[in-house]
Amino acid sequence: MVRPVVTVVTGQDTSDGAGVRLKRVIGTPALDHLDPFLLLDEFKSDRAGDYIAGFPDHPHRGFETVTYMLAGSMRHRDHKGNQGDLVAGSVQWMTAGRGIIHSEMPQQKDGLMWGFQLWVNLPAKGKMIPPRYQDIPPERIPETRAGEGVRVRVVAGQSDGTRGPVEGVVTQPLYLDVSMAPGARFQHPVPAGYTAFAYVYEGEAELGASEGRAGSRLTAGTLAVLGDGDAVAAVTSTSPARFLLLAARPLREPIARYGPFVMNTRAEIMRAVEDFQNGTFLD
Ligand code: FE
């Protein structure tokens, strides 16, 4: 059964870090979270003033941050000296666990910077695990054809027998970057009971149509929350479309969040803030 579109949400213009302009799609009053997804930002600008200040040193605890780049380059550096460049087409899946302090800074003075940051929650028993990085260069993300005029980059999970490079994530995510030509059809299995959404970032597509039921038209900058079912369907007409298709196992646990800390209780948040202030955050 094809999942229907339950809600359509439009991203909100905001800024974060040291003044990076971005569109926040999950983590807003309109859509606080979509268990286990806590936040989705799209940053896209060819004006250096919108991104050059970057994200100087800041902490994370209790969840995972996933950065997927379409254009431009960001340098990542953490408190342990781990460093890497996130270039166009790459993904960094960072499991912050008990704590990381890092910076994410643009490595360009002009030109287009375009990408996404997604936050994925960790279960209570995994919130304090040691940090872990999966830095995946562009050539390690396989691209498959999923029918006439449809290309799929498989970041995480599986598409038509092709496995994405991201491994060992407890919520068993599916992360696909789908490109559709005009007049194309796409259908993809997603396990029933998993949370699923599609975020259209270019062009226009109709999501959620099935026999006897019209879908919802989504334009760039809008997200479709997908209801129950075991497949996702998208159709393009005169425009091409590019969208992210995400699914994961919901945690169904209480969420206590405060800025870069996401725990289960308020006491755990207080502890995270104290640890950070006392310099014991990383012990
Ligand atoms: Fe960060």
Side-chain angles (χ1 to χ4, degrees), residues 61-242:
R61 174 180 280 180
F63 60 101
E64 312 189 75
T65 68
V66 183
T67 308
Y68 179 54
M69 298 291 290
L70 295 178
S73 177
M74 293 258 250
R75 178 158 300 164
H76 162 267
R77 187 178 285 154
D78 76 6
H79 65 282
K80 282 189 163 162
N82 295 309
Q83 179 177 310
D85 286 338
L86 310 179
V87 300
S90 70
V91 68
Q92 181 194 60
W93 200 291
M94 183 183 89
T95 306
R98 60 170 294 111
I100 203 106
I101 296 174
H102 74 162
S103 60
E104 297 151 288
M105 301 300 287
Q107 289 304 293
Q108 60 194 52
K109 295 206 160 36
D110 51 39
L112 178 64
M113 175 76 75
W114 191 6
F116 307 93
Q117 184 160 106
L118 176 75
W119 289 8
V120 185
N121 208 358
L122 287 168
K125 64 178 189 302
K127 284 188 177 293
M128 297 297 276
I129 59 175
R132 174 192 181 202
Y133 289 99
Q134 298 185 66
D135 278 308
I136 317 276
E139 63 274 13
R140 277 193 57 213
I141 300 180
E143 185 176 295
T144 64
R145 283 177 57 89
E148 190 68 33
V150 185
R151 290 178 296 114
V152 178
R153 296 191 84 217
V154 188
V155 174
Q158 221 184 125
S159 181
D160 199 20
T162 300
R163 281 207 75 80
V166 173
E167 284 174 353
V169 179
V170 64
T171 45
Q172 301 175 304
L174 174 72
Y175 191 138
L176 304 180
D177 178 8
V178 182
S179 300
M180 296 177 70
R185 287 180 170 278
F186 171 73
Q187 187 152 334
H188 201 279
V190 171
Y194 276 37
T195 300
F197 72 84
Y199 176 64
V200 177
Y201 63 87
E202 200 168 67
E204 189 175 318
E206 184 182 346
L207 271 292
S210 75
E211 249 168 83
R213 185 184 72 210
S216 300
R217 297 210 73 76
L218 271 88
T219 53
T222 56
L223 176 147
V225 179
L226 300 165
D228 217 8
D230 56 14
V232 171
V235 183
T236 48
S237 56
T238 54
S239 300
R242 295 179 74 189

